[in-house]
């Protein structure tokens, strides 16, 4: 059965970018406003799932040639790595640090090592969600 | 810094092995791995002069400071000896393995496990913190499990690996309990700090239990009687592994633990009898059993058991000096400890060489069975040389290093008779007699190794391959070891001064001058009791060897049915059968039952707890009033929940479930929890999508055809679960037994630099939870992936043997 999904595809083209932008915004907003690595990752993941639902797996894979298992594994390494990393600075396990820096364009910016940790969380969430959904949908 | 680096380096290299292996598949990866222990050995060797001058090196990294668990590395004389053995023998073993294992084997696994093991062993000997030591200790068990089961397609390998793991890990857990008791008694996990307050620990009521538990850990690891049964079975591992794990390192972890904790427990009567007594029994039993083995490797395994017993026994005898305190007469007993450390090194040299020799024979000839071997002397002259020097050193004959430490062992067993503590006056004679008897057996099996393998006639029809000398590369490592065997005999005092003396200072911290604790070792020490004992060993040994055939039946007197090995097999067999039956009983594959178990437990525990305490109080007077839109949401949820019960099609159920989820998200919005609302919304969307994806695989909902009784029971359970949750939810509002912790988190901006409390909790305050949740999520994802993708294909070859 062939489904006529012109409307869905057209809408998704616009919506996916909004979803991705929202996901990235949520990820960075996390420290001071609602958001964070987990939610950011979930939103990004659901955006990707939306793409998979609309287009077929091959098409999406051509646009995003990632192995999502590796994305998840990298995320876990990043999260645990930042935790271990503090040991090298003579601080207890999982110590995080923050500070204000002057960056070009952005000006005075609040940077925190939590962001790296959260990035690990986000990547794990994206990777795991997409892996699960892909493996279920690809199963014969 | 070197010390931390030396613990870390093996792990780092191990992580890169798979990538290197894939890149250079033709190249033997062992050469890369070889660089690790060689580098570490060189680095550690540069510390020898400073250690010999009495310096120690401590460095602390905070890990969980609130529990006193820190990664503290400590390098003193004792850890020096062990680290040199680990890296030194490690280098030789890896060099040997390069020629022993062909590139057809899965070398990346092998060297990965070997490096893990090496790093873990270094971690054990360098850790000052008991908990960190325990972690590394168990890591050695796990990595040795992987190494023993390296040829996992063989059933015996798997069984041997499991046996080693079961016994050493259960001992390790006992040891952990002992460590916790030490912590309770002293208030610190640091070994150095416990030593500083050793009087407090010795007065504690937990002193004896802690001692017993720590000894259990040491005895299981070092294969002491009756836990020795795992070591012969562990010989299923490739020979380089046997040479490394079972001659030089892993089994010596128990010895290390005993040596390290001697200043804490030593001096107590029970410690003295437990360590020296068990050691003596192990010495005798191991040597007795070694004589009746036909497999060369099994023979060496029992010989290792017996030699470990010897070292253990010497440590026990030496601990008597701590009871007496420092005086000129107690110095005599410290010589037992000195002999223990000396024999520890000697044993690693000659036993390492012997294992490699057996590996060569096995590799070139194809069998290790002495009934099929013989006459290889002319065909394999270099291997023969190794075997002679190694075996004669093991038998305690001059001019090899085993002779020196064996003489010191005899001297110590004789000297202990002069003590009148610990009821020794009536039992002291046992030590020299049993030691002498065990040495006769040691002599016999040493002769068996040489004579049955290399002398006599060749039996080519019984060998798998035509015998010829091993390639040059395989001979390097054992040659280095046997030149050490001879070298140590010629210059024992160099070793004594630079290596053993600082270790003596670690074992007897309270004793003033360590140079007085170091006896001068001389090969010729006059005609005295020890020498006469050795002469007796040789004479009786030769006679018994000549008449060995007559004695064979004697060894069979002891029925196999009552051996500890048989008991082990019976216990394992029984527990396997029992757990199988039990599991099949409740894991019947019906998910309804699993839910029933979970819910019943939940209700029983929560309701049961509520009856014992008075937690369930409901006082609505303080609650805020319920707004009308909240009521509407509640009714929507109730409607969805009730409708769910009567849904006929699966898609209706899925959608209704979604309604419930989204309504909860709305509640979060109303109650100003935007983080939760966001998460709930996205999670709900993703799960609904998942549901719809797997939808086509699910069968249609069928009306349940269960009896009225069962339906009634199920309804009761459901209602009571719902009621429990509701009551808990209401009761939580009035729960004020503890001070709320929210005030602490309100300071999030100052403490963690973030204005969003929820996020700072997740990322800063309770980041440990988040980190582990991420790991759990990842593992769950992998689980789904493997379950779906890696289904065993039909017609796959059976991997079991």
């Amino acid at each position: 059965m062939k489904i006529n999904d012109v409307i869905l595809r057209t809408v998704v083209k616009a919506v996916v970018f909004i979803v991705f932008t929202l996901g990235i915004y949520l990820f960075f907003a996390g420290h001071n406003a609602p958001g964070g690595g987990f939610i950011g990752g979930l939103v990004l993941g659901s955006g990707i799932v939306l793409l998979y639902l609309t287009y077929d797996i091959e098409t999406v894979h051509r646009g995003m040639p990632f192995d999502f298992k590796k994305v998840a594994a990298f995320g876990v390494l990043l999260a645990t790595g930042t935790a271990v990393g503090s040991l090298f600075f003579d601080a207890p396990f999982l110590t995080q640090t923050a500070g204000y820096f002057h960056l070009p364009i952005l000006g005075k910016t609040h940077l925190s090592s939590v962001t790296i940790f959260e990035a690990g969380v986000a990547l794990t969430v994206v990777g795991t969600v997409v892996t699960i959904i892909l493996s279920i949908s690809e199963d014969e | 810094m070197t010390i931390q680096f030396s613990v870390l380096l093996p792990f780092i290299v191990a992580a890169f092995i798979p990538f290197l292996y894939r890149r250079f598949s033709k190249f033997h990866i062992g050469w890369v791995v070889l660089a690790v222990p060689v580098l570490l050995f060189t680095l550690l060797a540069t510390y020898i002069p400073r250690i010999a001058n009495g310096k120690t090196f401590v460095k602390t990294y905070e890990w969980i400071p609130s529990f006193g668990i820190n990664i503290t590395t400590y390098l003193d004389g004792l850890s020096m000896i062990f680290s040199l053995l680990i890296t030194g023998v490690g280098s030789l073993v890896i060099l040997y393995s390069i020629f022993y294992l062909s590139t057809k084997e899965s070398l990346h696994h092998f060297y990965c496990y070997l490096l893990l093991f090496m790093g873990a062993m270094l971690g054990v000997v360098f850790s000052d913190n008991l908990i960190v030591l325990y972690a590394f200790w168990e890591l050695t068990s796990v990595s040795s499990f992987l190494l023993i089961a390296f040829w996992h397609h063989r059933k015996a390998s798997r069984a041997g690996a499991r046996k080693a793991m079961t016994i050493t890990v259960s001992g390790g857990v006992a040891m952990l309990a002992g460590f916790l008791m030490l912590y309770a008694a002293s208030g610190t996990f640091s070994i150095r700090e416990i030593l500083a307050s050793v009087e407090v620990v010795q007065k504690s009521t937990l002193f004896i239990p802690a001692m017993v538990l720590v000894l259990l850990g040491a005895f299981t690891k070092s294969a002491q009687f009756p836990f020795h049964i795992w070591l012969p079975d562990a010989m299923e591992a490739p020979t380089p592994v046997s040479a490394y794990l079972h001659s030089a390192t892993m089994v010596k972890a128990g010895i290390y633990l005993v040596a390290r904790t001697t200043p804490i427990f030593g001096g107590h009567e029970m410690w003295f009898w437990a360590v020296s007594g068990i050691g003596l029994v192990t010495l005798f039993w191991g040597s007795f059993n070694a004589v009746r083995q036909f497999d060369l490797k099994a023979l060496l395994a029992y010989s290792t058991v017996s030699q470990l017993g010897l070292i253990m026994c010497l440590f026990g005898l030496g601990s008597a000096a701590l009871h007496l305190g420092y005086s000129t007469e107690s110095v005599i007993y410290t010589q037992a400890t000195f002999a223990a450390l000396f024999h520890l090194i000697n044993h690693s040299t000659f036993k390492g060489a012997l294992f490699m020799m057996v590996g060569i024979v096995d590799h070139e000839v194809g069998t290790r069975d002495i009934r099929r071997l013989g006459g290889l002397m002319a065909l394999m002259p270099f291997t023969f040389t190794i075997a002679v020097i190694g075996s004669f050193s093991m038998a305690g004959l001059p001019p090899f290093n085993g002779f020196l430490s064996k003489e010191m062992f005899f001297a110590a067993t004789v000297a202990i008779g002069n003590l009148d503590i610990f009821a020794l006056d009536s039992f002291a004679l046992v030590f020299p007699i049993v030691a002498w008897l065990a040495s006769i057996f040691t002599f016999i099996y040493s002769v068996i190794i040489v004579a049955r393998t290399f002398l006599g006639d060749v039996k080519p029809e019984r060998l798998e391959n035509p015998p010829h000398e091993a390639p040059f590369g395989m001979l390097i490592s054992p040659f280095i070891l046997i030149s050490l065997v001879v070298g140590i005999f010629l210059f024992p005092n160099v070793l004594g001064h630079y290596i053993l003396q600082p270790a003596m200072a670690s074992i007897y911290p309270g004793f003033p001058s360590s140079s007085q604790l170091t006896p001068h070792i001389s090969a010729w020490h006059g005609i005295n009791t020890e020498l006469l004992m050795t002469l007796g060993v040789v004479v009786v040994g030769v006679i018994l060897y000549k008449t060995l055939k007559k004695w064979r039946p004697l060894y069979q007197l002891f029925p196999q049915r009552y051996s500890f090995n048989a008991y082990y097999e019976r216990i394992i067999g029984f527990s396997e059968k029992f757990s199988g039956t039990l599991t099949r009983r409740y894991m019947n594959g019906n998910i309804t039952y699993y839910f029933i178990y979970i819910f019943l437990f939940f209700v029983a525990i929560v309701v049961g707890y509520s009856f014992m305490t008075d937690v369930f109080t409901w006082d609505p007077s303080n609650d805020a009033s319920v707004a009308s839109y909240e009521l509407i949401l509640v009714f929507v949820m109730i409607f969805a929940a009730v409708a769910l019960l009567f849904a006929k099609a699966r898609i209706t159920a899925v959608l209704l479930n979604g309604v419930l989820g989204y309504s909860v998200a709305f509640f979060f919005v109303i109650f100003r929890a935007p983080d939760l609302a966001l998460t709930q919304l996205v999670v709900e969307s993703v799960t609904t999508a998942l549901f719809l994806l797997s939808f086509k695989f699910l069968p249609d909902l069928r009306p349940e055809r269960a009896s009225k009784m069962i339906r009634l029971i199920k309804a009761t359970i459901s209602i009571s679960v719902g009621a429990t949750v509701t009551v808990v939810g209401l009761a939580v509002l009035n729960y004020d037994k503890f001070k709320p912790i929210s005030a602490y988190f309100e300071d999030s901006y100052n403490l963690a630099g973030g204005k969003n409390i929820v996020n700072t909790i997740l990322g800063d305050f309770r980041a440990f939870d988040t980190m582990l949740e991420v790991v759990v999520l990842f593992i769950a994802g992998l689980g789904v992936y493997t379950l779906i993708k890696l289904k065993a294909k039909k017609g796959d070859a059976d991997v079991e043997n």
Side-chain angles (χ1 to χ4, degrees), chain B residues 441-455:
Chain B
F441 288 118
T442 309
F443 181 85
I444 296 173
Y445 69 68
S446 299
V447 175
I448 289 179
I449 294 175
V450 177
R452 298 294 297 266
T453 316
F454 294 98
L455 306 181

Side-chain angles (χ1 to χ4, degrees), chain B residues 495-577:
Chain B
L495 191 76
H497 178 71
Y498 283 102
I499 307 282
L500 302 180
Q501 181 184 314
M504 291 295 286
S506 323
I507 298 175
Y508 297 106
F511 285 25
S513 151
S514 58
S515 61
Q516 275 175 318
L517 299 180
T518 318
H520 183 79
I521 316 167
S522 54
W524 175 251
H525 38 71
I527 297 178
N528 49 14
T529 327
E530 301 94 274
L531 195 68
L532 292 176
M533 281 169 88
T534 308
L535 281 176
V537 165
V538 176
V539 172
V540 180
V542 168
I543 295 170
L544 285 182
Y545 175 73
K546 286 286 173 200
T547 52
L548 194 60
K549 287 226 164 63
K550 285 187 189 138
W551 298 104
R552 279 275 175 218
L554 186 70
Y555 292 114
Q556 312 307 333
L557 270 185
F558 186 76
Q560 279 298 311
R561 232 152 26 96
Y562 298 111
S563 68
F564 286 101
N565 214 5
Y567 282 116
Y568 169 84
E569 298 294 342
R570 238 171 286 166
I571 290 171
I572 288 288
F574 171 75
S575 55
E576 253 175 19
K577 216 182 287 168

